[in-house]
Amino acid sequence: SVMTTLLALVFAVPLAFGIAFWLVEMAPAMVAGPIGMAVQLLAAVPSIIFGMWGFFVIVPVMAHYVQPWARVHLGHIPGVGMFFQGAPYGTGMLTAGLVLAVMVTPFVCAVMRDVFVAMPAQIRESAYGLGATRWEVMRSVTLPWSRPALIGGIMLGMGRALGETMAVTFVIGNTNRIGWSLFSPGNTIASLIALEFPESPAGSLKLASLLALGFILMVISFLTLACSRLLLRRGGA
């Protein structure tokens, strides 16, 4: 669960920031409005649709192109090659991370865009008046001003990725083992509970184990929220 969530954030946060930066600073008004609305509408797409899309589109691409290429060119590098081993089935943690990234990006992008737009125009115009470029304004003025809200948006995306079930179930491989390779199949806590809960008799050890896994997922989410609050407090200080 933690690995797929981190992979999703690695892909989603730079993509969401780039889209938000383009919509606010570079795109014409008649283009930024419709595209921004389209990005926000992606957040309303059901997760099972993303799972089916990942299974029929992303998995074949990973199996035929990405995983064989990574095994040949990266699998022999010491210290790094172990992350790119395994049969090219197309499913695995990396595929699940990519699908989660597509799901998380609209949430993070919407928050970033709203925060960038909410920044007082006088602050941005003052930086431009001093001769700063667009990127310098974003890096030195906008990002420090909006840091707490950006952290909150990223944590919102992390919470969505941690608790996602159906989309991950389609593409992660559903194997109860933990491997070092990004291509190895596995399970998240949410997908395991969804798969095994219908076959767990009332009062059985299996049901108790699934409930314990749910508690562990709740603890992970609580720790994530606590870390975000700590980051926000330091950012405000």
Side-chain angles (χ1 to χ4, degrees):
S1 299
V2 175
M3 179 62 70
T4 54
T5 301
L6 292 179
L7 288 173
L9 292 180
V10 167
F11 294 119
V13 172
L15 180 60
F17 174 78
I19 296 174
F21 176 76
W22 181 79
L23 290 174
V24 174
E25 297 291 342
M26 302 178 65
M30 63 177 60
V31 177
I35 294 181
M37 184 177 298
V39 172
Q40 293 180 356
L41 287 176
L42 287 176
V45 177
S47 61
I48 193 171
I49 302 299
F50 284 105
M52 296 172 64
W53 170 78
F55 183 79
F56 289 108
V57 177
I58 301 299
V59 170
V61 173
M62 296 291 292
H64 292 94
Y65 302 102
V66 177
Q67 292 184 357
W69 183 90
R71 286 189 62 189
V72 172
H73 295 86
L74 303 176
H76 63 280
I77 301 178
V80 179
M82 63 180 180
F83 296 108
F84 302 98
Q85 299 295 329
Y89 294 129
T91 57
M93 290 190 293
L94 181 60
T95 307
L98 289 173
V99 174
L100 285 176
V102 176
M103 296 183 60
V104 167
T105 297
F107 290 89
V108 183
C109 180
V111 174
M112 289 185 175
R113 179 172 177 264
D114 292 341
V115 172
F116 294 160
V117 171
M119 180 179 178
Q122 295 84 353
I123 300 177
R124 187 181 292 107
E125 292 172 358
S126 299
Y128 284 126
L130 293 174
T133 62
R134 288 176 177 174
W135 173 244
E136 289 174 342
V137 171
M138 178 61 68
R139 181 185 61 186
S140 303
V141 179
T142 306
L143 285 180
W145 184 85
S146 58
R147 182 181 302 166
L150 294 182
I151 295 176
I154 294 173
M155 292 300 128
L156 175 65
M158 180 181 293
R160 174 71 189 273
L162 275 174
E164 181 51 45
T165 304
M166 294 309 301
V168 175
T169 304
F170 272 88
V171 298
I172 199 170
N174 302 316
T175 300
N176 296 328
R177 66 184 184 87
I178 299 176
W180 286 102
S181 176
L182 297 177
F183 302 150
S184 62
N187 254 331
T188 62
I189 294 177
S191 65
L192 180 62
I193 294 175
L195 288 173
E196 301 292 339
F197 190 82
E199 302 177 359
S200 302
S204 63
L205 179 61
K206 185 176 183 180
L207 179 60
S209 301
L210 294 179
L211 294 176
L213 284 176
F215 175 76
I216 292 174
L217 182 60
M218 185 182 68
V219 170
I220 294 175
S221 302
F222 175 79
L223 293 176
T224 302
L225 178 61
C227 292
S228 67
R229 298 297 297 177
L230 181 60
L231 291 174
L232 290 174
R233 183 175 301 176
R234 290 182 177 179

